[in-house]
Amino acid sequence: MRGPDVPPGVPGQGRDLFRVLHVCTGNVCRSPMAERLMRHGLAGRLGDGAAGILVESAGTWGHEGAPMEAHAAAVLAEYGADPAGFTGRELLDDHVIDADLVLTATRDHRAQVIAMGHDAGLRTFTLKEFTRLVRAIDQATLPEDGVTERARALVRAAAALRGWLLASTPDADEVNDPYGAPITYFRSIGEEIQLALDPVVTALTGIPAAV
């Protein structure tokens, strides 16, 4: 199992569920850390209400059925996030079709997702790109009548800003691959991902992280 399935009473393709897809290359390091850290952040803010946002991951050259890298799992545990039950998977058309928001590790991953079609361009960003755009959005303009509608409005607002708010350098929107590196490097990448996710989760939920 990859983790919790669609919660009972929430239609898999309906408007009551917002789907986030994290994408990297092998789906054993960066995107699993992003997936589980995001789930952890959402649960901490929303409790049971986090069931309205389904967070998954896949890899453009995904190691289908592979476990998460041990260092990635160790870093997740250090943040209090649950690495259990994860298995890697290869990115498929259906994953992109179903996703309301695709967050990639690099610009190359973003280009690969968009090249798959399915009108993915307006809902696919690198993680750091999305964070940069989210920071510029006035959260008071986002709806407060439901987490899924708020999340969809956030994606639309970020897409509208993309051409106006550029990165300081192209590399600023990238999360490097720690595959094969020592755990100290995994920790630095985990910290990058966590710092990028925190404002995103806050914007999605309208609730800042507890101090």
Side-chain angles (χ1 to χ4, degrees):
M1 291 178 59
R2 291 184 48 79
D5 293 325
V6 176
V10 178
Q13 303 298 322
R15 300 297 292 172
D16 295 330
L17 186 68
F18 183 87
R19 292 174 177 263
V20 181
L21 178 69
H22 289 279
V23 175
C24 69
T25 303
N27 193 215
V28 292
C29 298
R30 289 168 289 181
S31 57
M33 286 195 288
E35 172 193 316
R36 296 306 173 92
L37 286 170
M38 189 174 206
R39 288 188 189 181
H40 182 64
L42 289 167
R45 289 164 169 81
L46 295 174
D48 292 342
I53 300 179
L54 181 65
V55 186
E56 300 179 301
S57 63
T60 55
W61 290 90
H63 301 306
E64 189 75 30
M68 188 187 309
E69 281 290 295
H71 288 339
V75 169
L76 287 175
E78 291 171 1
Y79 280 96
D82 185 6
F86 182 88
T87 54
R89 62 181 188 170
E90 185 173 355
L91 180 66
L92 302 176
D93 288 89
D94 283 348
H95 302 150
V96 177
I97 292 168
D98 290 344
D100 295 290
L101 172 62
V102 184
L103 297 174
T104 70
T106 69
R107 290 168 294 146
D108 183 59
H109 297 131
R110 182 185 63 194
Q112 290 180 67
V113 171
I114 292 172
M116 293 172 73
H118 316 301
D119 298 318
L122 291 178
R123 52 194 167 90
T124 302
F125 309 80
T126 76
L127 171 58
K128 287 186 174 181
E129 173 192 21
F130 193 64
T131 302
R132 173 166 45 79
L133 298 171
V134 161
R135 288 184 186 277
I137 294 168
D138 180 359
Q139 294 188 30
T141 64
L142 299 175
E144 298 181 357
D145 55 351
V147 66
T148 55
E149 289 309 310
R150 181 184 179 91
R152 291 187 178 94
L154 183 69
V155 173
R156 290 193 297 269
L161 280 176
R162 178 151 43 191
W164 299 92
L165 190 63
L166 303 178
S168 55
T169 67
D171 289 345
D173 283 341
E174 307 263 305
V175 176
N176 292 328
D177 191 355
Y179 186 77
I183 192 167
T184 51
Y185 191 61
F186 270 82
R187 286 193 180 108
S188 70
I189 295 300
E191 183 178 18
E192 276 188 49
I193 292 170
Q194 176 65 13
L195 288 173
L197 282 173
D198 184 71
V200 171
V201 174
T202 295
L204 286 169
T205 63
I207 302 170
V211 177

